[in-house]
Amino acid sequence: MKKLILSIVLISSLLTSCSGLGEEKRILDTFEGYKRALLDQNGLLSVDFVTKETIALYQQYLDWAKTATGEELAKLSLINQIQVILIRHSCPQDVVLELDGKGIFIYAVDRGWIDSRIVVNAGLTDVTISANKAHGFIVQNGVKTAEKFHFIKQDGKWRFDLSRIISEANSLLAKMVKESGMTEKQFIISCSKAISNETVSETIWDPMVAED
């Protein structure tokens, strides 16, 4: 009887271990899939690899681009302001009115707005899974860093949580503004110009859609 119980425990442990390895592979596959789609500027493919939270964030960017005033934008984080101004500057009004969060994310990837340098040379190691959430440490040039990429399992599939990276990027941008000697507005305009290669009008701070 004791041997039977021991055998059951060992088999259970083995199955759990194999299941964990399978989930880790799925996470790594998601990361590699997102990376390839981003490098290819394939928005339609990349959107299937990101979380619902990421799409919800891009929906918020779209809503702000439509109606937020200059005063309202100034209250947002620096990274959020850059995203909104980029939409206003580079996306025609009729397109903005047609798109939703998923659509504007696809539009952004297709046009290279999302910096692929974040993932192009990055690897993932020491993946930790907790229920439907996971993270792995970023590897750069073969060296493990203290930074992490995050994933959420949604609709039975592991998805890359780009929204976490966006929120964490704000402190880095604030440092860049300080080192540049520019004001926040000047820095935002400079970023938008660099991405679009076009002059940015001061009217960019005005809402795209007039409120009724």
Side-chain angles (χ1 to χ4, degrees):
M1 185 66 176
K2 289 182 178 179
K3 288 183 178 180
L4 178 59
I5 294 173
L6 180 59
S7 297
I8 292 172
V9 170
L10 288 173
I11 292 171
S12 177
S13 298
L14 181 60
L15 289 173
T16 300
S17 176
C18 290
S19 174
L21 290 173
E23 290 295 277
E24 181 174 341
K25 183 180 184 304
R26 292 184 186 98
I27 290 168
L28 293 173
D29 287 346
T30 289
F31 178 61
E32 290 301 321
Y34 173 71
K35 184 193 296 190
R36 287 193 302 271
L38 190 61
L39 290 174
D40 291 342
Q41 293 184 204
N42 188 331
L44 197 59
L45 181 60
S46 67
V47 75
D48 196 42
F49 289 109
V50 297
T51 60
K52 294 177 182 178
E53 287 78 2
T54 299
I55 300 305
L57 182 59
Y58 273 80
Q59 179 65 57
Q60 182 65 79
Y61 291 150
L62 195 62
D63 293 340
W64 280 327
K66 290 176 183 177
T67 62
T69 63
E71 291 77 12
E72 290 169 334
L73 286 182
K75 296 176 183 178
L76 303 180
S77 68
L78 187 56
I79 185 68
N80 287 345
Q81 289 186 64
I82 290 173
Q83 299 286 354
V84 172
I85 292 303
L86 187 57
I87 292 173
R88 286 183 176 178
H89 175 56
S90 303
C91 194
Q93 186 182 48
D94 59 334
V95 175
V96 167
L97 294 175
E98 290 177 359
L99 295 177
D100 57 7
K102 181 178 179 180
I104 195 64
F105 178 82
I106 293 171
Y107 191 93
V109 173
D110 286 346
R111 285 155 183 78
W113 293 359
I114 300 176
D115 194 348
S116 61
R117 289 175 298 178
I118 296 172
V119 299
V120 64
N121 294 317
L124 205 62
T125 190
D126 295 347
V127 175
T128 299
I129 302 170
S130 178
N132 67 333
K133 294 185 178 182
H135 68 263
F137 287 90
I138 300 171
V139 176
Q140 289 283 6
N141 300 317
V143 179
K144 176 184 172 182
T145 70
E147 305 302 319
K148 302 173 185 176
F149 284 140
H150 296 265
F151 301 82
I152 302 175
K153 194 172 188 179
Q154 296 173 333
D155 301 325
K157 179 177 179 177
W158 286 102
R159 300 179 188 275
F160 185 65
D161 193 9
L162 182 62
S163 65
R164 286 287 294 266
I165 297 176
I166 292 173
S167 63
E168 292 168 0
N170 205 62
S171 58
L172 176 61
L173 284 173
K175 182 180 178 182
M176 290 172 66
V177 171
K178 187 175 181 180
E179 291 174 349
S180 72
M182 302 181 192
T183 65
E184 279 198 2
K185 273 194 171 185
Q186 289 171 336
F187 184 82
I188 292 166
I189 294 295
S190 177
C191 286
S192 298
K193 183 178 179 180
I195 295 170
S196 66
N197 293 315
E198 296 176 0
T199 302
V200 182
S201 169
E202 281 296 324
T203 60
I204 207 70
W205 301 102
D206 300 331
M208 295 186 79
V209 180
E211 292 192 55
D212 295 333

PDB file of all heavy atoms in Angstrom, residues 101-133:
ATOM      1  N   GLY A 101      -9.478  50.438 -29.657  1.00  0.00           N
ATOM      2  CA  GLY A 101      -8.187  50.175 -29.041  1.00  0.00           C
ATOM      3  C   GLY A 101      -7.359  49.157 -29.792  1.00  0.00           C
ATOM      4  O   GLY A 101      -6.148  49.327 -29.987  1.00  0.00           O
ATOM      5  N   LYS A 102      -7.988  48.089 -30.235  1.00  0.00           N
ATOM      6  CA  LYS A 102      -7.292  47.059 -31.009  1.00  0.00           C
ATOM      7  C   LYS A 102      -6.799  47.633 -32.330  1.00  0.00           C
ATOM      8  O   LYS A 102      -5.656  47.385 -32.751  1.00  0.00           O
ATOM      9  CB  LYS A 102      -8.231  45.877 -31.264  1.00  0.00           C
ATOM     10  CG  LYS A 102      -7.606  44.744 -32.049  1.00  0.00           C
ATOM     11  CD  LYS A 102      -8.596  43.593 -32.225  1.00  0.00           C
ATOM     12  CE  LYS A 102      -8.003  42.452 -33.038  1.00  0.00           C
ATOM     13  NZ  LYS A 102      -8.970  41.329 -33.203  1.00  0.00           N
ATOM     14  N   GLY A 103      -7.646  48.430 -32.973  1.00  0.00           N
ATOM     15  CA  GLY A 103      -7.284  49.005 -34.264  1.00  0.00           C
ATOM     16  C   GLY A 103      -6.110  49.964 -34.176  1.00  0.00           C
ATOM     17  O   GLY A 103      -5.231  49.953 -35.043  1.00  0.00           O
ATOM     18  N   ILE A 104      -6.084  50.796 -33.128  1.00  0.00           N
ATOM     19  CA  ILE A 104      -4.993  51.768 -33.019  1.00  0.00           C
ATOM     20  C   ILE A 104      -3.692  51.079 -32.637  1.00  0.00           C
ATOM     21  O   ILE A 104      -2.599  51.510 -33.030  1.00  0.00           O
ATOM     22  CB  ILE A 104      -5.339  52.909 -32.021  1.00  0.00           C
ATOM     23  CG1 ILE A 104      -4.384  54.092 -32.198  1.00  0.00           C
ATOM     24  CG2 ILE A 104      -5.324  52.422 -30.588  1.00  0.00           C
ATOM     25  CD1 ILE A 104      -4.466  54.777 -33.533  1.00  0.00           C
ATOM     26  N   PHE A 105      -3.784  49.954 -31.912  1.00  0.00           N
ATOM     27  CA  PHE A 105      -2.576  49.185 -31.607  1.00  0.00           C
ATOM     28  C   PHE A 105      -1.999  48.603 -32.899  1.00  0.00           C
ATOM     29  O   PHE A 105      -0.785  48.688 -33.147  1.00  0.00           O
ATOM     30  CB  PHE A 105      -2.876  48.057 -30.615  1.00  0.00           C
ATOM     31  CG  PHE A 105      -1.679  47.206 -30.302  1.00  0.00           C
ATOM     32  CD1 PHE A 105      -0.751  47.612 -29.359  1.00  0.00           C
ATOM     33  CD2 PHE A 105      -1.469  46.001 -30.965  1.00  0.00           C
ATOM     34  CE1 PHE A 105       0.381  46.842 -29.091  1.00  0.00           C
ATOM     35  CE2 PHE A 105      -0.351  45.216 -30.705  1.00  0.00           C
ATOM     36  CZ  PHE A 105       0.567  45.644 -29.750  1.00  0.00           C
ATOM     37  N   ILE A 106      -2.847  48.019 -33.724  1.00  0.00           N
ATOM     38  CA  ILE A 106      -2.412  47.475 -35.015  1.00  0.00           C
ATOM     39  C   ILE A 106      -1.798  48.580 -35.879  1.00  0.00           C
ATOM     40  O   ILE A 106      -0.743  48.408 -36.491  1.00  0.00           O
ATOM     41  CB  ILE A 106      -3.596  46.811 -35.751  1.00  0.00           C
ATOM     42  CG1 ILE A 106      -4.048  45.557 -34.995  1.00  0.00           C
ATOM     43  CG2 ILE A 106      -3.228  46.470 -37.195  1.00  0.00           C
ATOM     44  CD1 ILE A 106      -5.344  44.950 -35.520  1.00  0.00           C
ATOM     45  N   TYR A 107      -2.456  49.725 -35.903  1.00  0.00           N
ATOM     46  CA  TYR A 107      -1.988  50.886 -36.664  1.00  0.00           C
ATOM     47  C   TYR A 107      -0.590  51.306 -36.194  1.00  0.00           C
ATOM     48  O   TYR A 107       0.298  51.596 -37.002  1.00  0.00           O
ATOM     49  CB  TYR A 107      -2.988  52.029 -36.472  1.00  0.00           C
ATOM     50  CG  TYR A 107      -2.820  53.218 -37.378  1.00  0.00           C
ATOM     51  CD1 TYR A 107      -3.520  53.313 -38.576  1.00  0.00           C
ATOM     52  CD2 TYR A 107      -1.978  54.269 -37.025  1.00  0.00           C
ATOM     53  CE1 TYR A 107      -3.385  54.420 -39.397  1.00  0.00           C
ATOM     54  CE2 TYR A 107      -1.833  55.380 -37.845  1.00  0.00           C
ATOM     55  CZ  TYR A 107      -2.536  55.457 -39.032  1.00  0.00           C
ATOM     56  OH  TYR A 107      -2.391  56.559 -39.850  1.00  0.00           O
ATOM     57  N   ALA A 108      -0.395  51.318 -34.869  1.00  0.00           N
ATOM     58  CA  ALA A 108       0.884  51.730 -34.284  1.00  0.00           C
ATOM     59  C   ALA A 108       2.007  50.759 -34.645  1.00  0.00           C
ATOM     60  O   ALA A 108       3.114  51.175 -35.003  1.00  0.00           O
ATOM     61  CB  ALA A 108       0.747  51.843 -32.768  1.00  0.00           C
ATOM     62  N   VAL A 109       1.731  49.460 -34.555  1.00  0.00           N
ATOM     63  CA  VAL A 109       2.749  48.457 -34.885  1.00  0.00           C
ATOM     64  C   VAL A 109       3.102  48.527 -36.367  1.00  0.00           C
ATOM     65  O   VAL A 109       4.279  48.495 -36.744  1.00  0.00           O
ATOM     66  CB  VAL A 109       2.273  47.037 -34.515  1.00  0.00           C
ATOM     67  CG1 VAL A 109       3.265  45.986 -35.024  1.00  0.00           C
ATOM     68  CG2 VAL A 109       2.108  46.906 -33.006  1.00  0.00           C
ATOM     69  N   ASP A 110       2.092  48.644 -37.219  1.00  0.00           N
ATOM     70  CA  ASP A 110       2.320  48.701 -38.673  1.00  0.00           C
ATOM     71  C   ASP A 110       3.225  49.865 -39.061  1.00  0.00           C
ATOM     72  O   ASP A 110       3.960  49.782 -40.055  1.00  0.00           O
ATOM     73  CB  ASP A 110       0.992  48.835 -39.411  1.00  0.00           C
ATOM     74  CG  ASP A 110       0.185  47.538 -39.437  1.00  0.00           C
ATOM     75  OD1 ASP A 110       0.759  46.476 -39.129  1.00  0.00           O
ATOM     76  OD2 ASP A 110      -1.019  47.595 -39.758  1.00  0.00           O
ATOM     77  N   ARG A 111       3.185  50.931 -38.284  1.00  0.00           N
ATOM     78  CA  ARG A 111       3.953  52.131 -38.626  1.00  0.00           C
ATOM     79  C   ARG A 111       5.213  52.287 -37.781  1.00  0.00           C
ATOM     80  O   ARG A 111       5.880  53.323 -37.834  1.00  0.00           O
ATOM     81  CB  ARG A 111       3.049  53.368 -38.493  1.00  0.00           C
ATOM     82  CG  ARG A 111       2.082  53.452 -39.663  1.00  0.00           C
ATOM     83  CD  ARG A 111       0.824  54.215 -39.349  1.00  0.00           C
ATOM     84  NE  ARG A 111      -0.061  54.174 -40.521  1.00  0.00           N
ATOM     85  CZ  ARG A 111      -0.812  53.120 -40.852  1.00  0.00           C
ATOM     86  NH1 ARG A 111      -0.793  52.030 -40.098  1.00  0.00           N
ATOM     87  NH2 ARG A 111      -1.575  53.143 -41.927  1.00  0.00           N
ATOM     88  N   GLY A 112       5.542  51.262 -37.004  1.00  0.00           N
ATOM     89  CA  GLY A 112       6.796  51.279 -36.255  1.00  0.00           C
ATOM     90  C   GLY A 112       6.816  52.215 -35.066  1.00  0.00           C
ATOM     91  O   GLY A 112       7.887  52.626 -34.611  1.00  0.00           O
ATOM     92  N   TRP A 113       5.644  52.564 -34.541  1.00  0.00           N
ATOM     93  CA  TRP A 113       5.596  53.460 -33.389  1.00  0.00           C
ATOM     94  C   TRP A 113       6.097  52.787 -32.112  1.00  0.00           C
ATOM     95  O   TRP A 113       6.577  53.454 -31.206  1.00  0.00           O
ATOM     96  CB  TRP A 113       4.167  53.940 -33.140  1.00  0.00           C
ATOM     97  CG  TRP A 113       3.619  54.835 -34.199  1.00  0.00           C
ATOM     98  CD1 TRP A 113       4.262  55.265 -35.324  1.00  0.00           C
ATOM     99  CD2 TRP A 113       2.308  55.418 -34.242  1.00  0.00           C
ATOM    100  NE1 TRP A 113       3.426  56.072 -36.069  1.00  0.00           N
ATOM    101  CE2 TRP A 113       2.224  56.185 -35.430  1.00  0.00           C
ATOM    102  CE3 TRP A 113       1.205  55.356 -33.403  1.00  0.00           C
ATOM    103  CZ2 TRP A 113       1.077  56.874 -35.777  1.00  0.00           C
ATOM    104  CZ3 TRP A 113       0.056  56.045 -33.747  1.00  0.00           C
ATOM    105  CH2 TRP A 113      -0.006  56.808 -34.927  1.00  0.00           C
ATOM    106  N   ILE A 114       5.931  51.481 -32.031  1.00  0.00           N
ATOM    107  CA  ILE A 114       6.359  50.760 -30.835  1.00  0.00           C
ATOM    108  C   ILE A 114       7.809  50.335 -31.043  1.00  0.00           C
ATOM    109  O   ILE A 114       8.125  49.571 -31.958  1.00  0.00           O
ATOM    110  CB  ILE A 114       5.466  49.532 -30.572  1.00  0.00           C
ATOM    111  CG1 ILE A 114       4.022  50.007 -30.373  1.00  0.00           C
ATOM    112  CG2 ILE A 114       5.951  48.749 -29.361  1.00  0.00           C
ATOM    113  CD1 ILE A 114       3.024  48.883 -30.200  1.00  0.00           C
ATOM    114  N   ASP A 115       8.675  50.816 -30.187  1.00  0.00           N
ATOM    115  CA  ASP A 115      10.119  50.634 -30.345  1.00  0.00           C
ATOM    116  C   ASP A 115      10.504  49.160 -30.210  1.00  0.00           C
ATOM    117  O   ASP A 115      10.427  48.586 -29.122  1.00  0.00           O
ATOM    118  CB  ASP A 115      10.850  51.469 -29.288  1.00  0.00           C
ATOM    119  CG  ASP A 115      12.332  51.594 -29.587  1.00  0.00           C
ATOM    120  OD1 ASP A 115      12.821  50.855 -30.469  1.00  0.00           O
ATOM    121  OD2 ASP A 115      12.991  52.418 -28.934  1.00  0.00           O
ATOM    122  N   SER A 116      10.912  48.553 -31.313  1.00  0.00           N
ATOM    123  CA  SER A 116      11.277  47.136 -31.288  1.00  0.00           C
ATOM    124  C   SER A 116      12.597  46.883 -30.571  1.00  0.00           C
ATOM    125  O   SER A 116      12.920  45.739 -30.235  1.00  0.00           O
ATOM    126  CB  SER A 116      11.369  46.591 -32.724  1.00  0.00           C
ATOM    127  OG  SER A 116      12.365  47.276 -33.459  1.00  0.00           O
ATOM    128  N   ARG A 117      13.367  47.945 -30.309  1.00  0.00           N
ATOM    129  CA  ARG A 117      14.651  47.766 -29.623  1.00  0.00           C
ATOM    130  C   ARG A 117      14.470  47.214 -28.218  1.00  0.00           C
ATOM    131  O   ARG A 117      15.397  46.654 -27.638  1.00  0.00           O
ATOM    132  CB  ARG A 117      15.397  49.108 -29.562  1.00  0.00           C
ATOM    133  CG  ARG A 117      15.925  49.570 -30.919  1.00  0.00           C
ATOM    134  CD  ARG A 117      16.538  50.939 -30.822  1.00  0.00           C
ATOM    135  NE  ARG A 117      15.565  51.953 -30.420  1.00  0.00           N
ATOM    136  CZ  ARG A 117      15.856  53.231 -30.233  1.00  0.00           C
ATOM    137  NH1 ARG A 117      17.100  53.658 -30.422  1.00  0.00           N
ATOM    138  NH2 ARG A 117      14.930  54.094 -29.886  1.00  0.00           N
ATOM    139  N   ILE A 118      13.258  47.377 -27.668  1.00  0.00           N
ATOM    140  CA  ILE A 118      12.980  46.855 -26.333  1.00  0.00           C
ATOM    141  C   ILE A 118      13.110  45.340 -26.307  1.00  0.00           C
ATOM    142  O   ILE A 118      13.563  44.748 -25.323  1.00  0.00           O
ATOM    143  CB  ILE A 118      11.563  47.265 -25.881  1.00  0.00           C
ATOM    144  CG1 ILE A 118      11.469  48.790 -25.754  1.00  0.00           C
ATOM    145  CG2 ILE A 118      11.187  46.609 -24.547  1.00  0.00           C
ATOM    146  CD1 ILE A 118      10.064  49.291 -25.500  1.00  0.00           C
ATOM    147  N   VAL A 119      12.744  44.700 -27.412  1.00  0.00           N
ATOM    148  CA  VAL A 119      12.723  43.234 -27.419  1.00  0.00           C
ATOM    149  C   VAL A 119      13.675  42.589 -28.420  1.00  0.00           C
ATOM    150  O   VAL A 119      13.960  41.395 -28.309  1.00  0.00           O
ATOM    151  CB  VAL A 119      11.294  42.702 -27.699  1.00  0.00           C
ATOM    152  CG1 VAL A 119      10.342  43.157 -26.627  1.00  0.00           C
ATOM    153  CG2 VAL A 119      10.811  43.120 -29.081  1.00  0.00           C
ATOM    154  N   VAL A 120      14.191  43.346 -29.395  1.00  0.00           N
ATOM    155  CA  VAL A 120      14.924  42.742 -30.505  1.00  0.00           C
ATOM    156  C   VAL A 120      16.108  41.906 -30.043  1.00  0.00           C
ATOM    157  O   VAL A 120      16.346  40.812 -30.554  1.00  0.00           O
ATOM    158  CB  VAL A 120      15.371  43.825 -31.514  1.00  0.00           C
ATOM    159  CG1 VAL A 120      16.360  44.806 -30.891  1.00  0.00           C
ATOM    160  CG2 VAL A 120      15.981  43.173 -32.746  1.00  0.00           C
ATOM    161  N   ASN A 121      16.872  42.402 -29.094  1.00  0.00           N
ATOM    162  CA  ASN A 121      18.040  41.660 -28.620  1.00  0.00           C
ATOM    163  C   ASN A 121      17.812  41.030 -27.250  1.00  0.00           C
ATOM    164  O   ASN A 121      18.762  40.624 -26.582  1.00  0.00           O
ATOM    165  CB  ASN A 121      19.264  42.592 -28.558  1.00  0.00           C
ATOM    166  CG  ASN A 121      19.685  43.073 -29.937  1.00  0.00           C
ATOM    167  OD1 ASN A 121      19.717  42.294 -30.872  1.00  0.00           O
ATOM    168  ND2 ASN A 121      19.990  44.359 -30.052  1.00  0.00           N
ATOM    169  N   ALA A 122      16.565  40.989 -26.843  1.00  0.00           N
ATOM    170  CA  ALA A 122      16.251  40.497 -25.501  1.00  0.00           C
ATOM    171  C   ALA A 122      15.897  39.019 -25.513  1.00  0.00           C
ATOM    172  O   ALA A 122      15.300  38.508 -26.454  1.00  0.00           O
ATOM    173  CB  ALA A 122      15.096  41.299 -24.906  1.00  0.00           C
ATOM    174  N   GLY A 123      16.278  38.354 -24.445  1.00  0.00           N
ATOM    175  CA  GLY A 123      15.867  36.981 -24.205  1.00  0.00           C
ATOM    176  C   GLY A 123      15.120  36.920 -22.891  1.00  0.00           C
ATOM    177  O   GLY A 123      14.928  37.939 -22.220  1.00  0.00           O
ATOM    178  N   LEU A 124      14.702  35.743 -22.508  1.00  0.00           N
ATOM    179  CA  LEU A 124      13.911  35.567 -21.296  1.00  0.00           C
ATOM    180  C   LEU A 124      14.452  34.366 -20.530  1.00  0.00           C
ATOM    181  O   LEU A 124      14.734  33.320 -21.119  1.00  0.00           O
ATOM    182  CB  LEU A 124      12.447  35.338 -21.679  1.00  0.00           C
ATOM    183  CG  LEU A 124      11.361  35.693 -20.675  1.00  0.00           C
ATOM    184  CD1 LEU A 124      11.377  37.181 -20.353  1.00  0.00           C
ATOM    185  CD2 LEU A 124       9.998  35.292 -21.220  1.00  0.00           C
ATOM    186  N   THR A 125      14.605  34.508 -19.223  1.00  0.00           N
ATOM    187  CA  THR A 125      15.090  33.402 -18.410  1.00  0.00           C
ATOM    188  C   THR A 125      14.405  33.396 -17.047  1.00  0.00           C
ATOM    189  O   THR A 125      13.770  34.377 -16.669  1.00  0.00           O
ATOM    190  CB  THR A 125      16.622  33.486 -18.232  1.00  0.00           C
ATOM    191  OG1 THR A 125      17.109  32.276 -17.642  1.00  0.00           O
ATOM    192  CG2 THR A 125      17.019  34.666 -17.345  1.00  0.00           C
ATOM    193  N   ASP A 126      14.552  32.304 -16.342  1.00  0.00           N
ATOM    194  CA  ASP A 126      14.000  32.156 -14.980  1.00  0.00           C
ATOM    195  C   ASP A 126      12.523  32.546 -14.933  1.00  0.00           C
ATOM    196  O   ASP A 126      12.116  33.410 -14.134  1.00  0.00           O
ATOM    197  CB  ASP A 126      14.795  32.999 -13.972  1.00  0.00           C
ATOM    198  CG  ASP A 126      16.226  32.512 -13.813  1.00  0.00           C
ATOM    199  OD1 ASP A 126      16.525  31.402 -14.282  1.00  0.00           O
ATOM    200  OD2 ASP A 126      17.048  33.241 -13.216  1.00  0.00           O
ATOM    201  N   VAL A 127      11.737  31.913 -15.764  1.00  0.00           N
ATOM    202  CA  VAL A 127      10.303  32.204 -15.823  1.00  0.00           C
ATOM    203  C   VAL A 127       9.612  31.669 -14.570  1.00  0.00           C
ATOM    204  O   VAL A 127       9.806  30.515 -14.187  1.00  0.00           O
ATOM    205  CB  VAL A 127       9.672  31.582 -17.076  1.00  0.00           C
ATOM    206  CG1 VAL A 127       8.159  31.776 -17.073  1.00  0.00           C
ATOM    207  CG2 VAL A 127      10.285  32.189 -18.335  1.00  0.00           C
ATOM    208  N   THR A 128       8.832  32.525 -13.947  1.00  0.00           N
ATOM    209  CA  THR A 128       8.059  32.154 -12.758  1.00  0.00           C
ATOM    210  C   THR A 128       6.576  32.276 -13.066  1.00  0.00           C
ATOM    211  O   THR A 128       6.133  33.314 -13.567  1.00  0.00           O
ATOM    212  CB  THR A 128       8.412  33.067 -11.563  1.00  0.00           C
ATOM    213  OG1 THR A 128       9.801  32.914 -11.253  1.00  0.00           O
ATOM    214  CG2 THR A 128       7.593  32.692 -10.335  1.00  0.00           C
ATOM    215  N   ILE A 129       5.824  31.228 -12.768  1.00  0.00           N
ATOM    216  CA  ILE A 129       4.391  31.204 -13.058  1.00  0.00           C
ATOM    217  C   ILE A 129       3.608  31.139 -11.757  1.00  0.00           C
ATOM    218  O   ILE A 129       3.908  30.330 -10.872  1.00  0.00           O
ATOM    219  CB  ILE A 129       4.032  29.982 -13.928  1.00  0.00           C
ATOM    220  CG1 ILE A 129       4.827  30.015 -15.239  1.00  0.00           C
ATOM    221  CG2 ILE A 129       2.536  29.949 -14.221  1.00  0.00           C
ATOM    222  CD1 ILE A 129       4.721  28.731 -16.046  1.00  0.00           C
ATOM    223  N   SER A 130       2.615  32.009 -11.638  1.00  0.00           N
ATOM    224  CA  SER A 130       1.734  32.005 -10.468  1.00  0.00           C
ATOM    225  C   SER A 130       0.296  32.150 -10.957  1.00  0.00           C
ATOM    226  O   SER A 130      -0.126  33.244 -11.347  1.00  0.00           O
ATOM    227  CB  SER A 130       2.092  33.148  -9.512  1.00  0.00           C
ATOM    228  OG  SER A 130       1.219  33.179  -8.398  1.00  0.00           O
ATOM    229  N   ALA A 131      -0.422  31.013 -10.966  1.00  0.00           N
ATOM    230  CA  ALA A 131      -1.799  30.980 -11.487  1.00  0.00           C
ATOM    231  C   ALA A 131      -1.807  31.462 -12.932  1.00  0.00           C
ATOM    232  O   ALA A 131      -1.141  30.880 -13.773  1.00  0.00           O
ATOM    233  CB  ALA A 131      -2.727  31.800 -10.598  1.00  0.00           C
ATOM    234  N   ASN A 132      -2.520  32.564 -13.200  1.00  0.00           N
ATOM    235  CA  ASN A 132      -2.635  33.034 -14.589  1.00  0.00           C
ATOM    236  C   ASN A 132      -1.675  34.178 -14.905  1.00  0.00           C
ATOM    237  O   ASN A 132      -1.819  34.853 -15.929  1.00  0.00           O
ATOM    238  CB  ASN A 132      -4.073  33.477 -14.877  1.00  0.00           C
ATOM    239  CG  ASN A 132      -4.455  34.725 -14.088  1.00  0.00           C
ATOM    240  OD1 ASN A 132      -3.901  34.970 -13.010  1.00  0.00           O
ATOM    241  ND2 ASN A 132      -5.387  35.493 -14.602  1.00  0.00           N
ATOM    242  N   LYS A 133      -0.690  34.387 -14.040  1.00  0.00           N
ATOM    243  CA  LYS A 133       0.301  35.437 -14.281  1.00  0.00           C
ATOM    244  C   LYS A 133       1.703  34.839 -14.262  1.00  0.00           C
ATOM    245  O   LYS A 133       1.953  33.831 -13.592  1.00  0.00           O
ATOM    246  CB  LYS A 133       0.185  36.547 -13.233  1.00  0.00           C
ATOM    247  CG  LYS A 133      -1.129  37.321 -13.330  1.00  0.00           C
ATOM    248  CD  LYS A 133      -1.154  38.488 -12.355  1.00  0.00           C
ATOM    249  CE  LYS A 133      -2.455  39.276 -12.492  1.00  0.00           C
ATOM    250  NZ  LYS A 133      -2.493  40.442 -11.585  1.00  0.00           N
TER     251      LYS A 133
END
